Amino acid sequence: MDLPTFLASLESSGVATKIRNSLYFFPLIEATHVFGLAMVFGTMAIIDFRLLGLASTRRSFRRMASDILKWTWAAFIVTAATGSLMFITNAGVYYHNIFFRTKIVMLALAGINMLVFELTAGRSIDRWDKAASTPLIGRTTAVLSLAIWITIIFLGRWIGFTTTRATVGPEPQINLDNIFPGASEGTTPTAPPNEK
Amino acid sequence: MNQFAQWLSQTYLSILIQNHNGWVIPTIQSIHIAGIGVVLASVFMVDLRILGWAGLDQTLRQTTNRFAPWLTGALCVLLATGVLMVIGEPVRELITVSFWIKMFLVGVGTLVAATFRISLRKHEHHWEDTISNRASIKWLAILTFLIWVVIIILGRLIAYDHVWGSWSPAQKA
């Protein structure tokens, strides 16, 4: 099966069709996606700031990691699952969207960055577990992690603004600009991409 | 409120944002989401400590001191970016059910956090020894976290107010 066929088969799958035909599924899935990524970013940042020696500096890194990272992973699973559900509703469009592609590359980089940490500073935790100052490579991966995840948040938002959500359902198409003429004054009259 | 939204949309700052809406609005939204991550994780860590599920090497006071400034700071960022979003797209924000329930819950969440911090400061030992062990307080910790989760979900639903059906003022208008 070639790629366009595969993407089309995702779009025509029962799950994708159900989401598209519902007034509620896509918004709720997207909202859950935001919740999940807020958890991923927020909990990750706590670890990154510890690595950078900027917060929680007197605490054992190992202890913090074991307290927190399981939740980060749980939230990541929620985010990945909801992200996949959104993707299949309009796979062809998202696949060709440059922000979506960059986001996937960034997710891969986040994974590589984590691997680098595990294989370097992560192997010598015993030596710096309770020290405020962590190895340079640990601090480097922490900065990269923060930068990558913030970029991912921006890219995600840009996907929403550059794609049109596929809707087959009876979504009420109310144009607020017609109701409140003042609202659009000064804006370019181009049709906004779906939302958002 | 419709009139206010209309008036707001004519203001200089609103028109400035509207004229650059291609990147200004998504940028503000992205910063807003990053801020939400900090708020949610901060509340989460204190709640986990109250539940005894994490951070047991720290006292409740230490945990709160670690995360409360981040909560406050992030809430300020959220307020600033939130106000900018309302100014930039008054009708999209203000004429929705989700926005107003969200604002109410933000008030409740902030009030709970502030009350907790003041009470902890006043009755530190009492909190460490007994209060945090009460089942009611543990349930309150879970409820507080859920309030912030609902706030996030409502925040995203502002873009989709049709989910409220006839409750949505946008539908009636």
Side-chain angles (χ1 to χ4, degrees):
Chain A
M1 195 191 303
D2 65 347
L3 192 71
T5 322
F6 174 66
L7 294 172
S9 75
L10 285 179
E11 281 179 27
S12 58
S13 65
V15 181
T17 311
K18 251 208 164 68
I19 296 170
R20 272 197 306 270
N21 287 340
S22 163
L23 282 177
Y24 309 105
F25 284 157
F26 195 94
L28 287 174
I29 291 168
E30 189 183 341
T32 310
H33 190 72
V34 176
F35 155 68
L37 75 90
M39 279 296 280
V40 170
F41 173 70
T43 54
M44 201 73 153
I46 294 170
I47 300 291
D48 289 335
F49 276 93
R50 166 66 185 87
L51 273 176
L52 285 169
L54 294 174
S56 308
T57 42
R58 290 192 200 111
R59 292 190 64 194
S60 152
F61 177 83
R62 199 184 292 277
R63 168 126 210 178
M64 285 182 72
S66 82
D67 272 357
I68 295 174
L69 288 180
K70 57 189 168 198
W71 299 101
T72 314
W73 277 110
F76 182 79
I77 291 168
V78 170
T79 316
T82 48
S84 307
L85 287 175
M86 285 192 283
F87 177 79
I88 60 170
T89 61
N90 208 0
V93 167
Y94 289 123
Y95 179 80
H96 291 286
N97 182 276
I98 184 67
F99 300 104
F100 176 82
R101 291 184 166 196
T102 315
K103 185 175 176 179
I104 297 301
V105 171
M106 283 291 156
L107 283 167
L109 286 180
I112 294 169
N113 185 50
M114 190 178 64
L115 262 179
V116 168
F117 171 81
E118 291 296 337
L119 297 175
T120 57
R123 293 222 162 143
S124 63
I125 292 178
D126 288 335
R127 265 182 277 147
W128 54 267
D129 189 32
K130 289 190 171 170
S133 165
T134 63
L136 178 64
I137 184 89
R139 280 174 278 152
T140 311
T141 52
V143 168
L144 285 173
S145 162
L146 286 169
I148 290 170
W149 284 104
I150 289 172
T151 309
I152 287 174
I153 293 176
F154 273 79
L155 288 166
R157 212 67 286 276
W158 249 266
I159 296 170
F161 277 89
T162 52
T163 56
T164 307
R165 182 160 65 95
T167 43
V168 186
E171 179 161 3
Q173 292 292 333
I174 290 197
N175 187 349
L176 286 173
D177 291 345
N178 295 339
I179 303 162
F180 311 106
S184 66
E185 227 156 79
T187 56
T188 40
T190 50
N194 169 41
E195 64 132 336
K196 246 148 190 206
Chain B
M1 187 50 66
N2 288 355
Q3 281 169 353
F4 175 71
Q6 274 198 49
W7 168 80
L8 195 56
S9 69
Q10 310 284 345
T11 58
Y12 173 76
L13 186 57
S14 181
I15 290 169
L16 189 72
I17 296 173
Q18 290 166 35
N19 285 341
H20 300 87
N21 60 1
W23 63 273
V24 173
I25 294 286
T27 300
I28 297 171
Q29 287 187 2
S30 300
I31 297 168
H32 200 73
I33 292 174
I36 284 165
V38 175
V39 166
L40 189 67
S42 301
V43 171
F44 186 62
M45 294 317 295
V46 174
D47 286 344
L48 284 186
R49 178 62 186 79
I50 292 173
L51 290 166
W53 295 355
L56 290 173
D57 55 324
Q58 304 272 292
T59 65
L60 186 56
R61 182 72 192 265
Q62 284 174 320
T63 308
T64 307
N65 285 349
R66 160 71 179 81
F67 292 108
W70 288 84
L71 177 66
T72 312
L75 281 176
C76 291
V77 171
L78 290 174
L79 181 67
T81 48
V83 166
L84 283 176
M85 281 190 274
V86 170
I87 294 174
E89 299 181 300
V91 172
R92 172 197 180 270
E93 303 280 344
L94 297 177
I95 315 298
T96 62
V97 181
S98 304
F99 177 83
W100 293 105
I101 306 178
K102 176 182 168 178
M103 286 307 108
F104 171 71
L105 290 178
V106 168
V108 173
T110 309
L111 197 68
V112 169
T115 311
F116 165 69
R117 189 124 199 258
I118 292 166
S119 173
L120 179 62
R121 230 179 250 164
K122 270 195 199 150
H123 315 286
E124 186 175 347
H125 296 292
H126 199 34
W127 265 98
E128 303 282 357
D129 301 335
T130 53
I131 300 180
S132 62
N133 292 321
R134 286 183 196 155
S136 58
I137 289 297
K138 291 186 191 287
W139 282 109
L140 189 64
I142 294 173
L143 184 69
T144 310
F145 178 70
L146 289 179
I147 287 175
W148 289 102
V149 174
V150 172
I151 287 169
I152 292 174
I153 292 181
L154 287 172
R156 192 76 286 263
L157 291 185
I158 291 171
Y160 302 99
D161 214 50
H162 65 75
V163 297
W164 296 101
S166 61
W167 287 14
S168 168
Q171 309 293 312
K172 284 191 196 121

